[in-house]
Amino acid sequence: MTIEAVNMETPVKVEFDNFEHGFPEGFGPGRWGYLAYGIGLAFALFQLYVAAFNYLPSQVVRGVHVGFLLLLTFGLIGNFTAKTDAGRIAGWTIGAIGFLCGLYQWIFYADLIARDGDPTRVDLVVGTLLAVLIFEGTRRLMGLALPLMCGACLLYWFFGQYLPAPLNHRGYDFDQIVTHLSFGTEGFYGVPIYVSATYIFLFILFGSFLEHAGMIQLFTDVSLGLFGRTRGGPAKVAVFASGMMGTISGSGVANVVTVGQFTIPLMIRFGYRRAFAAGVEATASMGGQIMPPVMGAVAFIMAETLGVDYSVIVKAAVIPAILYFASAFWMVHLEAGKHGLTGMKPSEIPSAWKALVERWYLVLPLAALVYMLFEGFTPLYAGSMGLALTVALILGTSITMGFSNQVLRYVFWIGLALVVGALSRNGLQIVPVAAVVVALVVLTSFVRGGMGTLHACRDSLAESAKSALTVGMACAIVGVIIGMMTQTGVGSIFGGWVIGLGKTSLFAALIMTMLLSILLGTGIPTIPTYIITAALAAPALAKLGVPLIASHMFAFYYGIMADLSPPVALAALAAAPIAKENPDKIGWEAMRIALAGYVIPFIFVYSPALMLQAGDPMEAQLGFLGAVAYASVKALISIALFGMVAIGFLYVRMTVIERLLAFGASVCLLGEFPYSDLLGFALAVAIVGWQWRQRPPSAVVASA
């Protein structure tokens, strides 16, 4: 997109609930579009300043971040929905008021600290206005579900003292609630908005610039080269490409609208039903939130909540994420076998090796990011350096395109590496790196086509600000739930129920937590679903012996599963226009394809070695690495059985009895019941052996 795309003649009419999946192309009509574009650019530059230098107090950063969110949210909604300039003026005016509410945290920062707990009348007015604007902005972006849930929490906060025990609390005055909610770090400006103001925005930028550099095309070519000619190849390409895309985007909906533009029509062309093709892409794309190293916004919130390095979350997520994509891969393999779908022609498939040889350098920013995360650098530092390296690659490529001699290109890149090495001989610092980027910007402006590259980079900054709105507003409004729970202590009530249930059956407690997460997630996005479920159930599960990181990841996984479930099914809604199919049909297909993924959280709760955590029941017998291998094999067999149940096929179509037995075997492998593993393995061997005997004479062992 270029800035010219901002200048549209007529406003684009979009229904309110569509904003949850992103705004339309551009920023609005005429001068209003230019205004939104400029605000988005200013927002992105502010976030880059925070990431690079971070001289401002945390409370100020959070306040200005929320101010920008409100300003751009109401401004863009006005641009895209208002029919007159008066309507757009109203939208921008409301947004400006929201920006001033956020700026209030900066202007009166010292005063607010000095009078903490004793707010003035102006403080109460600003705090109340901020709450109203956050609720209304979220409603306009995401519909009623999340504001209604947070509104119910707010009502409980105000009037919960009138409820019968044990649901009641001691009661709180208006000024206590507003102060707790709109000032300090327990409400709107809590951990979620801190993560949004630092890590999330930075990694959205990182993914956006990598996409601009050509990473999507590299992923697609490699996926096609590896799997295009296999049975049901187009669907396997979708799963693999979406998994690779997930390593940089961390957003399910973003994966659908980027990778899905290519993979969904390809699957349909090769015989997959429209709903199934879109369901495959939705299932694979949602896995982007659990695929290291970037993962989704929840992973950053989880790290802050647990007080651990982000690399700890990444390590714990690696094996379950691979299993999730393996399950989706297995499902499309079985579906292709069931319906006799073939692969692509060799002439239609690019060479994976050639793609890697020609564009291997695109992997460098991602490799650098992974290295720094695992070396103990903060996500903010690692993300900043990864982003700087990506920008250097984009600008350097633009500069060297003007060189006719290949030797000159090598000289340029070697010289650039030497300059960076010389500047960072005392350690890699952001100031020298920023100076190199500025120098590259100046050089790019003088080469042919360079201004186009700079314009595209500028557009990526503004687009990233627009992309961050729904995540940021969700992080802001869930502060109501966090604030209510921290002040009233109501979370201990639900936790007590879970603990009471878990004393008789941990499995029942996990089922209760799973249902809570899925029910919440059908109405609200993954971030608030995780925050609510983790706050209510994760501490209780930890008291029942579940490792804390496993209990939080359990809530996270089922929040993702909820995004595949009708009636909301965000990923299905994003895939529907591409597939030209009903979103509900896509949602049900996605649930069926992801069925194997539903079992993974149960497995890593009962077998913590799957998350590289100590305390696995098999660790005493097999050692840590042995326990990891055993848990991984058991998980693979379990998801393979669930895939057979969902598709109804292995070598031939399965009968109802065969599917029931396969389901029983997979359930036995889920938990640690007496003789459950032995029974599960025996049933699995019996089912596979029976299917093998029934295979057609011409059939051979299915290839991956």
Side-chain angles (χ1 to χ4, degrees):
M1 194 200 88
T2 62
I3 195 168
E4 284 75 15
V6 173
N7 190 13
M8 295 183 289
E9 295 299 325
T10 57
V12 178
K13 185 71 175 79
V14 180
E15 298 299 327
F16 291 153
D17 59 0
N18 282 346
F19 288 136
E20 189 170 5
H21 323 304
F23 286 93
E25 288 293 323
F27 287 80
R31 62 183 181 277
W32 300 104
Y34 285 107
L35 175 61
Y37 184 93
I39 296 296
L41 196 57
F43 189 9
L45 291 173
F46 170 77
Q47 293 299 151
L48 283 176
Y49 170 81
V50 168
F53 303 106
N54 202 22
Y55 294 137
L56 295 174
S58 177
Q59 190 73 9
V60 170
V61 171
R62 301 179 201 201
V64 177
H65 181 76
V66 171
F68 269 119
L69 289 173
L70 291 170
L71 175 60
L72 202 52
T73 293
F74 283 103
L76 283 173
I77 289 173
N79 281 5
F80 286 120
T81 61
K83 297 180 180 179
T84 64
D85 281 350
R88 296 184 192 101
I89 290 172
W92 282 104
T93 301
I94 295 171
I97 293 171
F99 183 75
L100 291 175
C101 288
L103 208 59
Y104 190 82
Q105 296 283 338
W106 192 353
I107 297 172
F108 298 101
Y109 173 70
D111 295 333
L112 289 171
I113 292 177
R115 59 174 180 260
D116 183 33
D118 186 24
T120 65
R121 184 171 299 178
V122 176
D123 292 343
L124 295 178
V125 169
V126 171
T128 304
L129 195 57
L130 179 68
V132 171
L133 292 178
I134 287 176
F135 268 84
E136 176 60 11
T138 306
R139 182 189 73 82
R140 299 292 295 272
L141 278 180
M142 303 181 189
L144 283 169
L146 185 54
L148 283 177
M149 181 173 294
C150 293
C153 291
L154 201 56
L155 287 174
Y156 174 79
W157 203 348
F158 275 106
F159 305 109
Q161 64 268 31
Y162 302 113
L163 294 176
L167 298 175
N168 62 328
H169 57 68
R170 67 177 181 84
Y172 300 92
D173 294 332
F174 178 82
D175 62 331
Q176 289 178 293
I177 294 174
V178 171
T179 301
H180 196 77
L181 187 61
S182 298
F183 303 96
T185 57
E186 297 292 340
F188 292 134
Y189 300 120
V191 169
I193 208 66
Y194 165 73
V195 174
S196 174
T198 50
Y199 309 144
I200 294 175
F201 198 103
L202 182 64
F203 279 83
I204 288 174
L205 274 174
F206 178 69
S208 175
F209 274 92
L210 268 183
E211 289 176 32
H212 174 74
M215 188 65 94
I216 295 178
Q217 190 60 49
L218 175 62
F219 287 161
T220 303
D221 288 348
V222 170
S223 303
L224 282 169
L226 290 176
F227 303 108
R229 69 186 67 189
T230 62
R231 188 172 83 182
K236 294 175 182 176
V237 168
V239 173
F240 192 77
S242 295
M244 295 178 73
M245 184 65 187
T247 62
I248 64 169
S249 75
S251 168
V253 174
N255 287 2
V256 170
V257 298
T258 51
V259 180
Q261 295 285 353
F262 167 75
T263 58
I264 293 175
L266 183 66
M267 284 186 273
I268 294 171
R269 182 161 65 91
F270 276 83
Y272 284 98
R273 292 175 289 110
R274 290 181 179 274
F276 186 87
V280 168
E281 185 56 52
T283 302
S285 292
M286 289 311 297
Q289 297 182 70
I290 57 174
M291 176 56 76
V294 174
M295 303 179 66
V298 170
F300 296 103
I301 296 173
M302 190 187 303
E304 287 295 321
T305 302
L306 297 177
V308 298
D309 290 339
Y310 181 70
S311 59
V312 175
I313 304 296
V314 169
K315 292 174 185 176
V318 167
I319 297 177
I322 293 172
L323 289 173
Y324 178 90
F325 282 97
S327 71
F329 198 89
W330 174 243
M331 299 290 265
V332 300
H333 180 74
L334 293 179
E335 180 77 5
K338 183 177 181 180
H339 295 287
L341 302 178
T342 60
M344 302 167 65
K345 298 177 182 178
S347 59
E348 299 176 306
I349 302 172
S351 168
W353 177 250
K354 183 179 179 182
L356 284 172
V357 168
E358 290 180 350
R359 284 165 283 170
W360 61 270
Y361 56 87
L362 293 177
V363 183
L364 289 176
L366 197 59
L369 177 69
V370 172
Y371 172 78
M372 285 188 282
L373 286 175
F374 279 86
E375 282 296 308
F377 292 98
T378 66
L380 203 60
Y381 180 86
S384 299
M385 291 302 173
L387 178 60
L389 182 55
T390 307
V391 173
L393 282 175
I394 294 172
L395 298 179
T397 302
S398 178
I399 293 169
T400 56
M401 286 292 288
F403 296 166
S404 57
N405 192 321
Q406 187 71 22
V407 175
L408 290 177
R409 296 177 182 177
Y410 285 126
V411 169
F412 173 83
W413 287 114
I414 294 171
L416 181 61
L418 290 174
V419 169
V420 173
L423 290 173
S424 57
R425 58 185 179 275
N426 295 322
L428 199 58
Q429 302 295 324
I430 194 65
V431 173
V433 171
V436 170
V437 171
V438 170
L440 288 174
V441 168
V442 174
L443 284 174
T444 304
S445 64
F446 288 102
V447 301
R448 179 180 299 178
M451 292 306 297
T453 300
L454 294 178
H455 290 166
C457 291
R458 181 193 62 193
D459 292 344
S460 293
L461 288 172
E463 283 288 347
S464 296
K466 196 170 75 168
S467 300
L469 294 181
T470 50
V471 175
M473 291 299 289
C475 287
I477 198 169
V478 293
V480 173
I481 300 170
I482 295 172
M484 180 272 293
M485 292 182 65
T486 55
Q487 194 163 62
T488 65
V490 68
S492 59
I493 299 173
F494 183 86
W497 292 342
V498 173
I499 292 172
L501 193 60
K503 286 179 179 177
T504 57
S505 172
L506 175 60
F507 191 77
L510 292 172
I511 291 290
M512 183 177 180
T513 305
M514 177 191 75
L515 292 176
L516 171 67
S517 189
I518 291 177
L519 287 172
L520 288 174
T522 56
I524 59 178
T526 307
I527 293 172
T529 296
Y530 159 75
I531 291 171
I532 297 167
T533 308
L536 290 172
L541 292 176
K543 290 181 180 178
L544 293 172
V546 178
L548 192 57
I549 193 169
S551 62
H552 278 257
M553 200 69 79
F554 188 90
F556 181 18
Y557 259 75
Y558 286 113
I560 293 172
M561 294 296 107
D563 272 351
L564 296 173
S565 310
V568 178
L570 300 184
L573 283 168
I578 304 172
K580 297 180 174 62
E581 182 57 277
N582 182 281
D584 285 339
K585 289 183 181 179
I586 296 172
W588 291 118
E589 286 288 350
M591 284 187 69
R592 185 165 71 96
I593 297 163
L595 183 62
Y598 280 80
V599 310
I600 294 172
F602 281 89
I603 298 174
F604 65 58
V605 164
Y606 285 106
S607 302
L610 201 66
M611 301 184 71
L612 304 179
Q613 301 294 302
D616 191 279
M618 300 301 295
E619 191 172 341
Q621 303 174 41
L622 303 174
F624 179 71
L625 293 179
V628 171
Y630 180 79
S632 301
V633 170
K634 190 169 76 166
L636 279 172
I637 296 173
S638 183
I639 64 176
L641 290 166
F642 262 100
M644 292 159 56
V645 173
I647 303 298
F649 181 87
L650 181 58
Y651 296 108
V652 296
R653 291 177 184 261
M654 299 175 69
T655 65
V656 174
I657 293 177
E658 288 174 329
R659 292 169 86 166
L660 287 174
L661 288 174
F663 180 78
S666 60
V667 170
C668 286
L669 293 172
L670 281 183
E672 297 296 329
F673 314 113
Y675 305 107
S676 62
D677 284 2
L678 185 61
L679 180 59
F681 287 132
L683 281 173
V685 170
I687 293 295
V688 173
W690 180 251
Q691 277 277 303
W692 173 265
R693 287 189 60 188
Q694 296 181 83
R695 75 194 190 283
S698 59
V700 294
V701 178
S703 64

